[in-house]
Amino acid sequence: MAKPPAGLRADARRNYERLLAEARVCFAAHGTDASLEDVARRAGVGIGTLYRHFPNRQALMSAVFEDAASELLARSRELLLARQPCVALVTWLREMVTHASEYRGLSWTLMAVAYDDSSALARCSAPIREAGGALLFRAQEAGDVREDVEIGDLLQLTHAIALAAEGNPGDPELADRLLTLTLRGLKP
C-alpha cells in the first residue's frame, strides 16, 4: 500500500489511509473518473482534506495504483530470470492487461500520460516502462522480437487492448485474442 508522507500526525495519517482505501473502492466501482467529493465523503473527511493530501486526481490515482505497479515491477524482476525471454515478456504483458482492467478508465489515463514525465502518474509509469524495456530487450537479444519494437509503443498497445476489453465486457476472451494478434506482429 502507498505509504503516507513522513511526518504526518496520527490523525492526518489515518485520513490519508482512509482516502486511499475509499479511492480504491470508488475507482473500482465507478472508474477513474469517480467523484472525488464522493471519495472524501466516504472517507469521512472534507474535500479540502483530500486535496491537501492529493493535489489533483492524478496524484490520488498514482497513490492508488502504486500497489499494482509494485506487483508488476516485482513480477518483471522474477521474469527477467526466465529461460524463455519471449514467454516472459508475453506473460508480463498479459499481467499488465489484467492490472489495467481492474479500474475502468485506467488504460485511457495511462495512455494519455505515457510520455508526460511531469504527470503524477509518471511515478508509476516510468518504472513500468523501464521494467518492460528490460524484458523486451532480453526477448530482442534472443531473436524472438523484432529490433525496431519499442517499449513505449508496446505499452500503448497493451493499454489499448485493455481499453478495448473494457468496452466489450461480454467478450472475456477479447483481450487475450488481441494481445496474441499483436504479439504475432512482434516476431522478426
Side-chain angles (χ1 to χ4, degrees), residues 1 10 15 26 55 63 79 86 90-91 99-100 116 119 127 130 142 145 152 163-164 171 176 182-183:
M1 177 183 267
N15 287 343
C26 287
L79 290 168
C86 191
V90 170
T91 299
H99 279 285
D116 179 4
S119 162
E130 191 176 305
V145 175
L163 189 60
D171 186 355
D176 198 55
T182 299
L183 295 172

Side-chain angles (χ1 to χ4, degrees), residues 68 72 89-108 110 128 154-167 171-180 182-183:
L72 287 166
L89 175 64
V90 170
T91 299
W92 191 75
L93 291 173
R94 279 196 168 94
E95 291 173 13
M96 283 283 300
V97 169
T98 299
H99 279 285
S101 301
E102 289 178 8
Y103 299 98
R104 190 175 71 247
L106 176 59
S107 295
W108 177 254
L110 291 174
I128 291 291
L154 195 51
L155 290 175
Q156 287 288 70
L157 283 169
T158 303
H159 295 312
I161 289 168
L163 189 60
E166 177 183 306
D171 186 355
E173 303 299 319
L174 179 63
D176 198 55
R177 287 196 318 270
L178 291 174
L179 188 57
T180 299
T182 299
L183 295 172

